[in-house]
Coordinates of all heavy atoms in Angstrom, one line a residue:
M1 N 83.7 93.5 106.6 CA 84.4 92.8 105.5 C 84.9 93.7 104.5 O 84.2 94.5 104.0 CB 83.4 91.8 104.8 CG 82.8 90.8 105.8 SD 81.5 89.9 105.0 CE 80.1 91.0 105.3
A2 N 86.2 93.7 104.3 CA 86.7 94.4 103.2 C 86.5 93.6 101.9 O 86.3 92.4 101.9 CB 88.2 94.7 103.5
L3 N 86.5 94.3 100.8 CA 86.4 93.7 99.5 C 87.8 93.4 99.0 O 88.8 93.9 99.5 CB 85.6 94.6 98.6 CG 84.2 94.9 99.1 CD1 83.6 96.0 98.2 CD2 83.3 93.7 99.2
M4 N 87.8 92.7 97.9 CA 89.1 92.4 97.2 C 88.8 92.4 95.7 O 87.7 92.1 95.3 CB 89.7 91.1 97.7 CG 88.8 89.9 97.4 SD 89.5 88.3 98.0 CE 90.6 87.9 96.7
I5 N 89.8 92.6 94.9 CA 89.7 92.5 93.5 C 90.4 91.2 93.0 O 91.6 91.0 93.4 CB 90.3 93.8 92.8 CG1 89.5 95.0 93.2 CG2 90.2 93.6 91.3 CD1 90.0 96.3 92.8
T6 N 89.8 90.4 92.3 CA 90.4 89.1 91.8 C 91.2 89.3 90.5 O 91.1 90.4 89.9 CB 89.3 88.1 91.6 OG1 88.5 88.5 90.4 CG2 88.4 87.9 92.8
D7 N 91.9 88.3 90.1 CA 92.7 88.4 88.9 C 91.9 88.4 87.7 O 92.4 88.5 86.6 CB 93.7 87.3 88.9 CG 93.2 85.9 88.9 OD1 91.9 85.7 88.9 OD2 93.9 84.9 89.0
E8 N 90.6 88.4 87.8 CA 89.7 88.6 86.6 C 89.6 90.0 86.2 O 89.0 90.4 85.2 CB 88.3 88.0 86.9 CG 88.4 86.5 87.0 CD 87.3 85.9 87.9 OE1 86.5 86.7 88.5 OE2 87.3 84.7 88.1
C9 N 90.2 90.9 87.0 CA 90.2 92.4 86.8 C 90.8 92.7 85.4 O 91.8 92.1 85.0 CB 91.0 93.1 87.8 SG 91.2 94.9 87.6
I10 N 90.1 93.5 84.6 CA 90.6 93.9 83.3 C 91.2 95.3 83.3 O 91.4 95.8 82.2 CB 89.4 93.8 82.3 CG1 88.3 94.7 82.6 CG2 88.9 92.4 82.1 CD1 87.2 94.9 81.6
N11 N 91.5 95.8 84.4 CA 92.1 97.2 84.6 C 91.4 98.2 83.8 O 92.0 99.0 83.0 CB 93.6 97.1 84.1 CG 94.4 96.4 85.1 OD1 94.1 96.3 86.3 ND2 95.4 95.7 84.6
C12 N 90.1 98.2 83.9 CA 89.2 99.2 83.1 C 89.3 100.6 83.7 O 88.8 101.5 83.1 CB 87.8 98.7 83.0 SG 86.9 98.6 84.6
D13 N 89.8 100.7 84.9 CA 90.0 102.0 85.6 C 88.7 102.7 86.2 O 88.7 103.8 86.6 CB 90.6 103.1 84.7 CG 92.0 102.6 84.2 OD1 92.7 102.0 85.0 OD2 92.3 102.8 83.0
V14 N 87.5 102.0 86.2 CA 86.3 102.6 86.6 C 86.1 102.5 88.1 O 85.4 103.4 88.7 CB 85.1 102.1 85.9 CG1 85.1 102.3 84.4 CG2 84.8 100.6 86.2
C15 N 86.7 101.6 88.8 CA 86.5 101.4 90.3 C 87.3 102.4 91.1 O 86.7 102.9 92.1 CB 86.8 100.0 90.7 SG 88.5 99.5 90.5
E16 N 88.5 102.7 90.7 CA 89.3 103.6 91.6 C 88.7 104.9 91.9 O 88.6 105.3 93.1 CB 90.7 103.8 90.9 CG 91.6 104.6 91.8 CD 93.0 104.8 91.1 OE1 93.0 104.8 89.8 OE2 93.9 105.0 91.8
P17 N 88.2 105.7 90.9 CA 87.6 107.0 91.3 C 86.3 106.9 92.1 O 85.9 107.9 92.7 CB 87.4 107.7 89.9 CG 87.4 106.6 88.9 CD 88.3 105.5 89.5
E18 N 85.7 105.7 92.0 CA 84.4 105.5 92.7 C 84.5 105.3 94.2 O 83.6 105.5 95.0 CB 83.6 104.4 92.2 CG 83.2 104.6 90.7 CD 82.2 105.8 90.6 OE1 81.3 106.0 91.4 OE2 82.4 106.6 89.6
C19 N 85.7 105.0 94.7 CA 85.9 104.6 96.1 C 86.0 105.9 97.0 O 87.0 106.7 96.8 CB 87.2 103.8 96.3 SG 87.5 103.3 98.0
P20 N 85.1 106.1 97.9 CA 85.1 107.3 98.7 C 86.2 107.3 99.8 O 86.5 108.3 100.3 CB 83.7 107.3 99.4 CG 83.4 105.9 99.4 CD 83.9 105.2 98.2
N21 N 86.8 106.1 100.0 CA 87.9 106.1 101.0 C 89.3 106.0 100.4 O 90.3 105.8 101.1 CB 87.7 104.8 101.9 CG 86.4 104.9 102.7 OD1 86.1 106.0 103.2 ND2 85.7 103.8 102.8
D22 N 89.4 106.1 99.1 CA 90.7 106.0 98.4 C 91.4 104.6 98.7 O 92.6 104.6 98.9 CB 91.6 107.1 98.7 CG 91.1 108.5 98.2 OD1 90.5 108.5 97.1 OD2 91.2 109.5 98.9
A23 N 90.6 103.6 98.9 CA 91.1 102.3 99.2 C 91.6 101.5 98.0 O 92.3 100.5 98.1 CB 90.1 101.5 100.0
I24 N 91.2 101.9 96.8 CA 91.5 101.2 95.6 C 92.7 101.9 94.9 O 92.8 103.1 94.8 CB 90.3 101.1 94.6 CG1 89.2 100.4 95.3 CG2 90.7 100.4 93.3 CD1 87.9 100.4 94.5
Y25 N 93.7 101.0 94.5 CA 94.9 101.6 93.9 C 95.4 100.6 92.8 O 95.0 99.4 92.9 CB 96.0 101.9 94.9 CG 96.4 100.6 95.7 CD1 97.5 99.9 95.2 CD2 95.7 100.2 96.8 CE1 97.9 98.8 96.0 CE2 96.1 99.1 97.5 CZ 97.2 98.4 97.1 OH 97.6 97.2 97.7
L26 N 96.2 101.0 91.9 CA 96.7 100.1 90.9 C 97.9 99.4 91.4 O 98.9 100.0 91.8 CB 97.1 100.9 89.6 CG 97.6 100.1 88.4 CD1 96.5 99.0 88.0 CD2 97.9 101.0 87.3
G27 N 97.8 98.1 91.5 CA 98.9 97.2 92.0 C 99.8 96.9 90.8 O 99.8 97.6 89.8
E28 N 100.7 95.9 91.0 CA 101.6 95.6 90.0 C 101.0 95.1 88.7 O 101.5 95.4 87.6 CB 102.6 94.5 90.5 CG 103.6 95.0 91.5 CD 104.6 94.0 91.9 OE1 105.0 93.2 91.1 OE2 105.1 94.1 93.0
E29 N 99.9 94.3 88.8 CA 99.2 93.8 87.6 C 97.8 94.2 87.5 O 97.3 94.5 86.4 CB 99.3 92.3 87.6 CG 100.7 91.8 87.5 CD 100.8 90.3 87.4 OE1 99.8 89.6 87.0 OE2 101.9 89.7 87.8
I30 N 97.1 94.3 88.6 CA 95.7 94.7 88.6 C 95.4 95.7 89.7 O 96.3 95.9 90.6 CB 94.7 93.4 88.8 CG1 95.0 92.7 90.1 CG2 94.9 92.5 87.6 CD1 94.1 91.6 90.5
Y31 N 94.2 96.2 89.8 CA 93.8 97.1 90.9 C 93.7 96.2 92.1 O 93.4 95.1 92.1 CB 92.5 97.8 90.6 CG 92.7 99.0 89.7 CD1 92.6 98.9 88.3 CD2 93.0 100.2 90.2 CE1 92.8 100.0 87.5 CE2 93.2 101.3 89.4 CZ 93.1 101.2 88.1 OH 93.3 102.3 87.3
E32 N 94.0 96.9 93.3 CA 93.9 96.2 94.6 C 93.1 97.1 95.5 O 93.0 98.3 95.3 CB 95.3 95.9 95.1 CG 96.1 95.0 94.2 CD 97.5 94.7 94.7 OE1 97.8 94.9 95.9 OE2 98.4 94.4 93.9
I33 N 92.7 96.5 96.6 CA 91.9 97.2 97.7 C 92.7 97.1 99.0 O 93.0 96.0 99.4 CB 90.5 96.7 97.8 CG1 89.8 96.9 96.5 CG2 89.8 97.4 99.0 CD1 88.3 96.3 96.5
D34 N 92.9 98.3 99.6 CA 93.6 98.3 100.9 C 92.5 97.9 102.0 O 91.6 98.7 102.2 CB 94.1 99.7 101.2 CG 94.8 99.8 102.6 OD1 94.6 98.9 103.4 OD2 95.5 100.8 102.8
P35 N 92.6 96.8 102.6 CA 91.5 96.4 103.6 C 91.4 97.3 104.8 O 90.4 97.3 105.5 CB 91.9 94.9 104.0 CG 93.4 94.9 103.7 CD 93.7 95.8 102.5
H36 N 92.5 98.0 105.1 CA 92.4 99.0 106.2 C 91.6 100.2 105.9 O 91.3 101.0 106.8 CB 93.9 99.3 106.7 CG 94.6 98.1 107.1 ND1 95.5 97.5 106.3 CD2 94.5 97.3 108.2 CE1 96.0 96.4 106.9 NE2 95.4 96.3 108.1
K37 N 91.4 100.5 104.6 CA 90.6 101.6 104.2 C 89.2 101.3 103.7 O 88.4 102.1 103.6 CB 91.4 102.4 103.1 CG 92.6 103.1 103.6 CD 93.2 103.9 102.4 CE 94.4 104.7 102.8 NZ 94.9 105.5 101.6
C38 N 89.0 100.0 103.3 CA 87.7 99.6 102.7 C 86.7 99.4 103.8 O 86.8 98.7 104.7 CB 87.9 98.3 101.9 SG 86.4 97.7 101.2
T39 N 85.6 100.2 103.6 CA 84.4 100.1 104.5 C 83.2 99.5 103.8 O 82.1 99.6 104.3 CB 84.1 101.4 105.2 OG1 83.6 102.3 104.1 CG2 85.2 102.0 105.9
E40 N 83.5 99.0 102.6 CA 82.3 98.6 101.7 C 81.4 99.7 101.5 O 80.2 99.5 101.4 CB 81.7 97.3 102.2 CG 82.5 96.1 102.3 CD 81.8 94.9 102.7 OE1 80.6 94.7 102.3 OE2 82.4 94.0 103.4
C41 N 81.8 100.9 101.6 CA 81.1 102.1 101.4 C 80.1 102.4 102.6 O 79.3 103.3 102.5 CB 80.4 102.2 100.1 SG 81.5 102.4 98.7
V42 N 80.2 101.7 103.7 CA 79.4 102.0 104.8 C 79.8 103.4 105.3 O 80.9 103.8 105.3 CB 79.7 101.0 106.0 CG1 79.1 101.4 107.3 CG2 79.2 99.6 105.6
G43 N 78.8 104.2 105.5 CA 79.0 105.6 105.9 C 78.9 106.5 104.7 O 78.7 107.7 104.9
H44 N 79.0 106.0 103.5 CA 78.9 106.8 102.3 C 77.7 106.4 101.5 O 77.0 107.3 101.0 CB 80.2 106.6 101.5 CG 81.4 107.2 102.1 ND1 81.7 108.5 102.2 CD2 82.4 106.5 102.7 CE1 82.9 108.6 102.8 NE2 83.4 107.4 103.1
F45 N 77.5 105.1 101.2 CA 76.5 104.7 100.3 C 75.9 103.4 100.9 O 76.4 102.8 101.7 CB 77.1 104.3 98.9 CG 77.7 105.5 98.2 CD1 79.1 105.7 98.2 CD2 77.0 106.5 97.6 CE1 79.7 106.8 97.6 CE2 77.6 107.6 97.0 CZ 78.9 107.7 97.0
D46 N 74.7 103.0 100.3 CA 74.0 101.8 100.8 C 74.7 100.5 100.2 O 74.6 99.5 100.8 CB 72.6 101.8 100.3 CG 71.8 102.8 101.0 OD1 72.1 103.2 102.2 OD2 70.8 103.3 100.5
E47 N 75.4 100.6 99.1 CA 76.1 99.5 98.5 C 77.5 99.9 98.1 O 77.7 101.0 97.7 CB 75.3 99.0 97.3 CG 73.9 98.5 97.7 CD 73.2 97.9 96.4 OE1 73.8 97.2 95.6 OE2 72.0 98.2 96.3
P48 N 78.4 98.9 98.0 CA 79.8 99.3 97.6 C 79.7 99.8 96.1 O 79.2 99.1 95.2 CB 80.5 97.9 97.7 CG 79.7 97.1 98.7 CD 78.3 97.5 98.5
Q49 N 80.3 100.9 95.9 CA 80.2 101.6 94.6 C 81.1 100.8 93.6 O 80.7 100.7 92.4 CB 80.7 103.0 94.7 CG 79.7 103.8 95.6 CD 78.3 103.8 95.1 OE1 78.0 104.4 94.0 NE2 77.4 103.1 95.7
C50 N 82.2 100.3 94.0 CA 83.1 99.6 93.1 C 82.4 98.3 92.5 O 82.5 98.0 91.4 CB 84.4 99.2 93.7 SG 84.3 98.2 95.2
V51 N 81.7 97.6 93.4 CA 80.9 96.4 93.0 C 79.8 96.8 92.0 O 79.6 96.1 91.0 CB 80.3 95.7 94.2 CG1 79.4 94.6 93.8 CG2 81.4 95.2 95.1
Q52 N 79.2 97.9 92.2 CA 78.1 98.4 91.4 C 78.6 98.7 90.0 O 77.9 98.4 89.0 CB 77.4 99.6 92.0 CG 76.7 99.3 93.2 CD 75.5 98.3 93.0 OE1 74.7 98.5 92.1 NE2 75.5 97.3 93.8
I53 N 79.8 99.3 89.9 CA 80.3 99.7 88.6 C 81.2 98.7 87.8 O 81.4 98.9 86.6 CB 81.0 101.1 88.8 CG1 81.0 101.8 87.4 CG2 82.3 100.9 89.4 CD1 81.3 103.3 87.6
C54 N 81.6 97.7 88.5 CA 82.6 96.8 87.9 C 81.9 96.0 86.7 O 80.9 95.3 87.0 CB 83.1 95.8 88.9 SG 84.3 94.6 88.2
P55 N 82.5 96.1 85.5 CA 81.8 95.4 84.4 C 82.1 93.9 84.3 O 81.4 93.2 83.6 CB 82.5 96.1 83.2 CG 83.8 96.5 83.7 CD 83.6 96.9 85.1
V56 N 83.0 93.4 85.1 CA 83.3 91.9 85.1 C 83.0 91.2 86.4 O 83.3 90.1 86.6 CB 84.8 91.7 84.6 CG1 85.0 92.1 83.2 CG2 85.8 92.3 85.6
A57 N 82.4 91.9 87.4 CA 82.0 91.3 88.6 C 83.2 90.6 89.3 O 83.1 89.4 89.6 CB 80.8 90.4 88.5
C58 N 84.3 91.3 89.5 CA 85.5 90.6 90.1 C 85.8 91.2 91.5 O 87.0 91.2 91.9 CB 86.7 90.8 89.1 SG 87.3 92.5 88.9
I59 N 84.8 91.7 92.2 CA 85.1 92.3 93.5 C 84.2 91.6 94.6 O 83.2 92.1 95.0 CB 84.8 93.8 93.5 CG1 85.6 94.5 92.3 CG2 85.3 94.5 94.8 CD1 85.4 96.0 92.1
P60 N 84.7 90.5 95.1 CA 84.0 89.8 96.2 C 84.5 90.3 97.5 O 85.4 91.0 97.6 CB 84.3 88.3 95.9 CG 85.8 88.4 95.4 CD 85.8 89.7 94.6
V61 N 83.8 89.7 98.6 CA 84.3 90.0 99.9 C 85.6 89.2 100.1 O 85.8 88.1 99.7 CB 83.2 89.4 100.9 CG1 83.7 89.4 102.3 CG2 81.9 90.3 100.8
N62 N 86.5 89.9 100.8 CA 87.8 89.3 101.1 C 87.7 88.4 102.3 O 87.4 88.9 103.4 CB 88.8 90.4 101.4 CG 90.2 89.9 101.5 OD1 90.5 88.7 101.9 ND2 91.2 90.7 101.3
P63 N 87.8 87.1 102.1 CA 87.6 86.1 103.3 C 88.6 86.3 104.4 O 88.4 85.9 105.5 CB 87.7 84.8 102.6 CG 88.4 85.0 101.4 CD 88.2 86.4 100.9
Q64 N 89.7 87.0 104.1 CA 90.7 87.2 105.1 C 90.5 88.4 106.0 O 91.2 88.7 106.9 CB 92.1 87.3 104.5 CG 92.6 86.0 103.8 CD 93.9 86.1 103.2 OE1 94.4 87.2 102.9 NE2 94.5 85.0 102.9
H65 N 89.4 89.2 105.6 CA 89.1 90.4 106.3 C 87.6 90.5 106.5 O 86.9 91.5 106.1 CB 89.6 91.7 105.5 CG 91.1 91.7 105.4 ND1 91.9 92.2 106.4 CD2 91.9 91.3 104.4 CE1 93.1 92.1 106.1 NE2 93.2 91.6 104.9
V66 N 87.1 89.6 107.3 CA 85.6 89.5 107.6 C 85.4 90.5 108.7 O 86.0 90.4 109.8 CB 85.2 88.1 107.9 CG1 83.7 88.1 108.3 CG2 85.4 87.2 106.7
E67 N 84.4 91.4 108.5 CA 84.1 92.4 109.5 C 82.6 92.6 109.5 O 81.9 92.5 108.5 CB 84.7 93.8 109.2 CG 86.3 93.7 109.1 CD 86.9 95.0 108.6 OE1 86.7 95.2 107.4 OE2 87.4 95.8 109.3
S68 N 82.1 92.9 110.7 CA 80.6 93.2 110.8 C 80.3 94.6 110.3 O 81.2 95.4 110.2 CB 80.2 93.1 112.3 OG 80.8 94.1 113.0
R69 N 79.1 94.9 110.1 CA 78.7 96.2 109.7 C 79.1 97.2 110.7 O 79.5 98.3 110.4 CB 77.1 96.2 109.4 CG 76.7 97.6 108.8 CD 75.4 97.4 108.1 NE 75.0 98.6 107.5 CZ 75.4 99.0 106.3 NH1 76.2 98.3 105.5 NH2 74.9 100.2 105.8
E70 N 79.0 96.9 112.0 CA 79.4 97.8 113.1 C 80.9 98.1 113.0 O 81.3 99.2 113.2 CB 79.0 97.2 114.4 CG 79.4 98.0 115.6 CD 78.8 99.4 115.7 OE1 77.6 99.5 115.2 OE2 79.4 100.3 116.2
T71 N 81.7 97.1 112.7 CA 83.1 97.3 112.6 C 83.4 98.2 111.4 O 84.3 99.0 111.5 CB 83.8 95.9 112.5 OG1 83.5 95.1 113.6 CG2 85.3 96.1 112.4
L72 N 82.7 98.0 110.3 CA 82.9 98.8 109.1 C 82.5 100.2 109.5 O 83.2 101.2 109.0 CB 82.1 98.3 108.0 CG 82.5 96.9 107.4 CD1 81.5 96.4 106.4 CD2 83.9 97.1 106.7
W73 N 81.4 100.4 110.2 CA 81.0 101.8 110.6 C 82.1 102.4 111.5 O 82.4 103.6 111.3 CB 79.7 101.7 111.4 CG 79.2 103.1 111.9 CD1 79.2 103.5 113.2 CD2 78.8 104.1 111.1 NE1 78.8 104.8 113.2 CE2 78.5 105.2 112.0 CE3 78.6 104.4 109.7 CZ2 78.0 106.4 111.5 CZ3 78.1 105.6 109.3 CH2 77.8 106.6 110.2
Q74 N 82.7 101.7 112.4 CA 83.7 102.2 113.3 C 85.0 102.6 112.4 O 85.6 103.6 112.7 CB 84.1 101.2 114.4 CG 83.0 101.1 115.4 CD 83.3 99.9 116.3 OE1 84.2 99.2 116.2 NE2 82.4 99.7 117.3
K75 N 85.3 101.8 111.4 CA 86.4 102.1 110.5 C 86.1 103.4 109.8 O 87.0 104.2 109.6 CB 86.7 100.9 109.6 CG 87.9 101.1 108.7 CD 88.1 100.1 107.6 CE 88.0 98.6 108.0 NZ 88.2 97.7 106.8
F76 N 84.9 103.5 109.3 CA 84.5 104.7 108.6 C 84.7 105.9 109.4 O 85.3 106.9 109.0 CB 83.0 104.6 108.1 CG 82.4 105.9 107.8 CD1 82.7 106.5 106.6 CD2 81.5 106.6 108.7 CE1 82.1 107.8 106.3 CE2 81.0 107.8 108.4 CZ 81.3 108.4 107.2
Q77 N 84.3 105.8 110.7 CA 84.4 107.0 111.6 C 85.9 107.3 111.9 O 86.3 108.5 111.9 CB 83.7 106.7 112.9 CG 82.2 106.7 112.8 CD 81.5 106.3 114.0 OE1 81.8 105.3 114.7 NE2 80.4 107.1 114.3
R78 N 86.7 106.3 112.0 CA 88.2 106.5 112.2 C 88.8 107.2 111.0 O 89.6 108.1 111.1 CB 88.9 105.2 112.4 CG 88.9 104.7 113.9 CD 89.9 103.6 114.1 NE 89.9 102.6 113.1 CZ 89.1 101.5 113.1 NH1 88.2 101.3 114.1 NH2 89.3 100.6 112.2
L79 N 88.4 106.8 109.8 CA 88.9 107.3 108.5 C 88.5 108.8 108.3 O 89.2 109.6 107.7 CB 88.5 106.5 107.3 CG 89.1 105.1 107.2 CD1 88.4 104.3 106.2 CD2 90.6 105.2 106.9
Q80 N 87.3 109.1 108.9 CA 86.7 110.5 108.7 C 87.2 111.4 109.8 O 87.0 112.7 109.6 CB 85.2 110.4 108.7 CG 84.6 109.6 107.5 CD 85.1 110.2 106.2 OE1 85.0 111.3 105.9 NE2 85.6 109.3 105.3
A81 N 87.8 110.9 110.8 CA 88.2 111.8 112.0 C 89.3 112.7 111.5 O 90.2 112.3 110.8 CB 88.7 110.9 113.1
P82 N 89.3 114.0 112.0 CA 90.4 114.9 111.6 C 91.7 114.4 112.2 O 91.6 113.8 113.3 CB 89.9 116.2 112.2 CG 88.9 115.9 113.2 CD 88.3 114.6 112.8
P83 N 92.8 114.6 111.6 CA 94.1 114.2 112.1 C 94.4 114.9 113.5 O 94.0 116.1 113.6 CB 95.1 114.6 111.1 CG 94.4 115.4 110.1 CD 92.9 115.3 110.3
A84 N 94.9 114.2 114.4 CA 95.3 114.8 115.7 C 96.4 115.8 115.5 O 97.3 115.6 114.7 CB 95.8 113.7 116.6
Q85 N 96.3 116.9 116.2 CA 97.3 118.0 116.1 C 98.3 117.8 117.2 O 98.0 117.4 118.3 CB 96.6 119.4 116.2 CG 95.7 119.7 115.1 CD 95.1 121.1 115.1 OE1 95.4 121.8 116.1 NE2 94.3 121.4 114.1
A86 N 99.5 118.1 116.8 CA 100.7 117.9 117.7 C 100.8 119.1 118.6 O 100.4 120.1 118.4 CB 101.9 117.7 117.0

C-alpha cells in the first residue's frame, strides 16, 4: 500500500526529507507521494517515517494503491537495484 497526503497537509516541509525513496514532492498546493516509489519505508524502517513525523496526521494509506508487504518489499528491491548498463 502506498501512502497519500490529504488536503489537511499544512506544507510544514518535514516529511519530504524523511522519505528514503524520494517519493514525496511538493505538488501544486500540498506535498504529494508518488505511489510508484512509496514502499511505506519497507526495507528501510519498521514504520513509515513520514507518518511518524507528520504533525497533523494527514498521511493515510492510499486506497487506490493497496499492496501487500511482499509487494512493497519487491518494490523496495527494484528501487534499490543498480541501473542497467547499456
Side-chain angles (χ1 to χ4, degrees):
M1 297 170 276
L3 301 172
M4 61 184 274
I5 298 175
T6 68
D7 59 5
E8 292 149 359
C9 175
I10 59 172
N11 290 329
C12 67
D13 303 320
V14 298
C15 62
E16 183 183 26
E18 294 299 317
C19 181
N21 294 321
D22 296 323
I24 300 175
Y25 61 95
L26 184 57
E28 287 187 30
E29 295 183 25
I30 60 172
Y31 279 91
E32 298 181 23
I33 297 177
D34 180 344
H36 299 101
K37 290 183 175 182
C38 178
T39 63
E40 294 186 40
C41 290
V42 167
H44 295 283
F45 301 101
D46 291 334
E47 296 183 40
Q49 298 301 287
C50 60
V51 173
Q52 294 297 310
I53 201 162
C54 181
V56 293
C58 68
I59 309 177
V61 170
N62 186 335
Q64 296 179 341
H65 295 279
V66 176
E67 299 170 288
S68 69
R69 187 157 182 86
E70 179 61 30
T71 301
L72 291 170
W73 177 252
Q74 291 169 359
K75 186 190 306 184
F76 162 77
Q77 291 177 313
R78 280 193 313 274
L79 291 169
Q80 298 302 311
Q85 295 185 356

